[in-house]
Amino acid sequence: MSKGLKKMLFWSLGFPVIITILRIITDHFFDRDIELFSYSAVFLGTVVAGLIFAGPLNYYISKSREG
């Protein structure tokens, strides 16, 4: 798998999963209601942000540093 594809996969899938898990953990510790609908909205929002902004931006930054 190419280096660029790994970065895109991390920012479009890995990062949103990490953010969603951290949000569930903090809600559990503060005894808040755990609502699946709220977490799915956060997950999908960060997936879109990762696909549109974070993935390509980090890929182009790493490419500009190489050459």
Side-chain angles (χ1 to χ4, degrees):
M1 196 178 319
S2 72
K3 194 176 195 180
L5 184 59
K6 286 181 185 178
K7 286 186 181 197
M8 291 293 288
L9 281 174
F10 172 75
W11 285 105
S12 62
L13 293 176
F15 184 71
V17 167
I18 292 168
I19 294 296
T20 305
I21 289 172
L22 287 174
R23 186 157 181 234
I24 290 171
I25 290 170
T26 56
D27 284 350
H28 177 71
F29 282 130
F30 290 122
D31 290 328
R32 296 182 190 151
D33 292 333
I34 296 176
E35 300 173 7
L36 183 61
F37 189 70
S38 173
Y39 299 122
S40 64
V42 170
F43 177 76
L44 292 175
T46 52
V47 165
V48 170
L51 284 173
I52 295 174
F53 298 112
L57 184 64
N58 283 315
Y59 176 74
Y60 290 128
I61 289 172
S62 68
K63 281 293 193 184
S64 68
R65 289 182 182 171
E66 289 177 1

